[in-house]
Amino acid sequence: MEIFHISAECYPVAKVGGLADVVGALPKYQNNAGDKVRVVMPCYDTKFKKENDFECVYWGHVKLGDFNFPFNILKEKTDKLGFELYLVEIQELFDRKDVYGYQDDIERFLSFQIATLDWISGRSEVADVINCHDHHTGLIPFMMLYCHKYEKLRNIPSMITIHNGLYQGQFGFDKLYYLPEFDLAHVNVLEWDNCINSLAVAIKCAWAVTTVSPNYLNEINSSANGLESLFNLVRYKSRGILNGIDIEVWDPAKDAMLEKNYSIKNFEKGKQENKEKLCNLFNLDPTKPLFSFIGRLLEEKGGDLLPHAAALALSENYQQINILILGSGDKVIENQLNSLLQDYKGNYNTFIGYNEELAHLIYAGSDFLLMPSRVEPCGLNQMYSLRYGTIPIVRRTGGLRDTVIDFGDDGNGICHDQATVGDICYSIQRAVDLYDDKKHFNKIRKIGMSTDHSWERVCQEYIEMYKLIINKK
Ligand code: ADP
């Protein structure tokens, strides 16, 4: 089967969060399973772009209303990522350091989608299926169906995979003229809540909709930032497929970013050495349990609860626990977290920013990983932490509910139900007690390390979904 994945992120080319991890891994495993897989993404000014060789395989111009942007399609020469990687180079719009967060994001991602379709529709053989990811690629299923110049793509099945339904890529109808000419009889398809809503458009037009966990699919029927009724309507073509993890990149036995490699056979010693390295770096106490958080410091991740929960847990367990935070996001939360540094010196620290290497060391060297999320479509952190023998402490929501079971029910982690400071601190207290019972603690760590979340199994579910829509042709 020939598959195109179209995405704003892909690890290790450009990463902001879990979307990159998924699009960097799923295609590789699909390729290994015998499919022909290509990934298309924008060409940002990243280290990967600078350090690798590309050849130009196509060029053209994107017309966006009155603007005209020249573009090139660059192919990475060696296929070293395990699939064919294509970068859409539109210098004026993407030759920047960050992936998102610019005032012209609508123009940037719309141009990316148009350039991608211009190229794909010009190929002699297109593909069996086009898998779009999140709202940045949400207008593609619409354009394939209704834009005159993409008529050739009308019968190619498209699928939208939703990694996070909170972000929807809305913009006003004043920008309607950006779209290539299309059959105006279908203009109402673009509308949701008086805007053009890229994610809603994808949900309406794609032949299939997937979310990144089964439980998230259940939740968005009642809570989806305004799209609930739409999700209910398309239930017949939707499926929740739990994300996998790339067990080659995330392998404590081989991970080059760790201080000490280890496996399930010698994890106690291995983890302790990584913990000591972390504690040295951040002035923490290696003889006490270490609770960490990795992620975007936003309300959806429960980031606003962290400062108060950390202060309470640290004062209730004075000098008996460590807390380490890695992340960035809301400036108020960042400042609140930093304001605790003075009071809990020696047992608390933060790293405000993004650091891939440090994240790996934290998964390896921590005893517990905090995930007090309000919304978690799948969550990868808990799966990495399980694989590295670190016990996840999660709020039961989205994919966290699908992957973490409380140790009281013979599971692999610690769970609570409410996104509150009280629930987080109660779970931390249970974790402290578990830590003191070394035999039980090690048993739970081993259960986590032996959980199989590899893509090998999961990628078959994507293929099944593709086959379903191909058969509808
Ligand atoms: P998200 O909603 O952010 O996509 P996921 O759990 O799906 O959440 O994926 C998060 C990914 O981003 C993981 O690989 C995690 O290790 C990584 N990550 C998040 N924040 C940071 C950070 N500040 N530094 C390094 N890695 C980070």
Side-chain angles (χ1 to χ4, degrees):
M1 194 180 295
E2 297 216 5
I3 305 156
F4 269 103
H5 285 279
I6 308 179
S7 169
E9 300 178 38
C10 171
Y11 181 81
V13 191
K15 169 169 170 178
V16 176
L19 170 63
D21 289 357
V22 171
V23 179
L26 169 63
K28 183 167 83 178
Y29 286 87
Q30 287 178 328
N31 226 8
N32 289 346
D35 297 299
K36 173 97 186 151
V37 191
R38 302 180 173 92
V39 171
V40 190
M41 65 182 292
C43 181
Y44 312 101
D45 178 21
T46 63
K47 190 163 169 269
F48 186 92
K49 169 68 191 2
K50 288 193 193 97
E51 291 177 355
N52 290 278
D53 289 331
F54 295 85
E55 61 181 313
C56 180
V57 295
Y58 185 87
W59 62 90
H61 284 83
V62 176
K63 199 175 132 7
L64 207 65
D66 300 335
F67 304 105
N68 210 338
F69 300 108
F71 74 86
N72 296 311
I73 305 289
L74 307 179
K75 179 183 180 302
E76 193 275 318
K77 279 185 174 170
T78 62
D79 299 340
K80 67 201 272 190
L81 299 182
F83 49 81
E84 289 185 13
L85 170 72
Y86 294 88
L87 303 184
V88 179
E89 182 181 55
I90 312 176
Q91 285 201 339
E92 243 179 292
L93 298 174
F94 286 104
D95 195 19
R96 309 177 192 175
K97 290 257 170 320
D98 290 331
V99 173
Y100 316 114
Y102 298 99
Q103 276 199 334
D104 57 353
D105 275 357
I106 291 298
E107 285 76 6
R108 294 169 78 227
F109 288 104
L110 193 46
S111 304
F112 161 62
Q113 295 175 79
I114 294 172
T116 300
L117 287 188
D118 280 1
W119 167 54
I120 292 181
S121 60
R123 289 166 56 91
S124 51
E125 294 203 1
V126 179
D128 295 303
V129 65
I130 295 192
N131 194 161
C132 301
H133 296 267
D134 272 353
H135 75 83
H136 324 97
T137 59
L139 293 172
I140 285 180
F142 174 86
M143 292 194 282
M144 288 169 67
L145 285 178
Y146 303 121
C147 285
H148 303 312
K149 68 171 170 168
Y150 304 133
E151 204 179 339
K152 187 173 158 191
L153 304 179
R154 201 151 294 167
N155 288 319
I156 309 282
S158 64
M159 179 161 116
I160 179 77
T161 298
I162 300 172
H163 299 255
N164 195 334
L166 286 179
Y167 305 96
Q168 300 172 0
Q170 296 102 326
F171 57 98
F173 272 92
D174 54 322
K175 293 185 175 169
L176 180 66
Y177 73 112
Y178 281 172
L179 291 177
E181 228 174 89
F182 64 94
D183 184 350
L184 279 174
H186 300 286
V187 68
N188 59 332
V189 175
L190 294 168
E191 197 265 346
W192 192 263
D193 216 3
N194 297 321
C195 292
I196 297 176
N197 180 314
S198 306
L199 189 63
V201 174
I203 295 166
K204 292 181 197 180
C205 297
W207 297 33
V209 176
T210 60
T211 60
V212 287
S213 72
N215 191 49
Y216 185 58
L217 182 62
N218 291 336
E219 286 178 2
I220 51 180
N221 283 298
S222 53
S223 167
N225 207 12
L227 299 185
E228 299 77 8
S229 57
L230 182 58
F231 277 115
N232 277 298
L233 276 175
V234 299
R235 191 72 204 218
Y236 70 95
K237 60 171 181 179
S238 310
R239 188 184 287 185
I241 304 179
L242 189 69
N243 278 340
I245 60 172
D246 190 333
I247 53 170
E248 288 166 13
V249 174
W250 297 93
D251 181 358
K254 296 198 189 111
D255 190 333
M257 299 184 215
L258 305 192
E259 176 69 6
K260 175 82 185 168
N261 289 116
Y262 60 93
S263 69
I264 196 161
K265 291 196 188 114
N266 58 354
F267 73 94
E268 257 187 287
K269 195 164 174 293
K271 283 186 69 66
Q272 186 60 27
E273 281 190 41
N274 287 296
K275 181 172 174 179
E276 278 162 21
K277 169 82 180 179
L278 263 183
C279 290
N280 265 333
L281 284 173
F282 289 97
N283 185 31
L284 302 170
D285 180 349
T287 65
K288 301 288 174 332
L290 172 56
F291 295 81
S292 301
F293 172 91
I294 300 172
R296 295 177 293 123
L297 294 170
L298 299 175
E299 268 190 33
E300 62 178 281
K301 296 280 178 193
D304 55 316
L305 303 169
L306 282 175
H308 192 176
L312 195 63
L314 285 160
S315 55
E316 278 179 354
N317 298 279
Y318 190 61
Q319 295 187 338
Q320 295 307 309
I321 63 169
N322 303 288
I323 297 183
L324 176 60
I325 311 275
L326 164 63
S328 62
D330 186 323
K331 295 290 164 228
V332 174
I333 301 176
E334 291 178 3
N335 292 336
Q336 286 174 342
L337 287 167
N338 280 339
S339 72
L340 303 177
L341 288 169
Q342 201 53 38
D343 285 350
Y344 301 103
K345 224 181 199 162
N347 293 108
Y348 172 79
N349 219 329
T350 62
F351 183 105
I352 302 299
Y354 186 92
N355 188 320
E356 188 77 23
E357 240 174 88
L358 179 57
H360 283 243
L361 186 62
I362 292 178
Y363 288 119
S366 303
D367 298 300
F368 301 96
L369 189 87
L370 296 165
M371 295 188 75
S373 308
R374 287 195 173 77
V375 181
E376 198 62 80
C378 176
L380 295 171
N381 298 16
Q382 80 280 14
M383 297 200 238
Y384 299 144
S385 91
L386 288 168
R387 183 151 166 84
Y388 282 62
T390 296
I391 297 176
I393 298 181
V394 309
R395 174 174 172 247
R396 283 192 190 94
T397 184
L400 296 175
R401 191 185 278 276
D402 288 317
T403 49
V404 183
I405 295 164
D406 193 86
F407 73 92
D409 299 320
D410 294 330
N412 51 11
I414 298 178
C415 304
H416 53 89
D417 285 316
Q418 307 298 327
T420 59
V421 169
D423 266 29
I424 299 170
C425 288
Y426 179 65
S427 288
I428 291 180
Q429 207 50 57
R430 290 182 68 212
V432 172
D433 294 342
L434 178 64
Y435 181 85
D436 288 338
D437 178 354
K438 280 284 167 302
K439 209 170 148 202
H440 199 184
F441 178 55
N442 282 337
K443 184 180 155 205
I444 308 300
R445 295 206 282 184
K446 272 193 183 167
I447 292 176
M449 289 186 84
S450 25
T451 314
D452 177 11
H453 280 300
S454 68
W455 272 112
E456 258 150 41
R457 197 172 40 81
V458 184
C459 80
Q460 281 315 314
E461 293 190 46
Y462 273 80
I463 300 295
E464 273 170 33
M465 202 66 186
Y466 299 154
K467 282 186 182 155
L468 268 180
I469 51 179
I470 289 169
N471 287 337
K472 275 194 199 152
K473 253 170 126 170

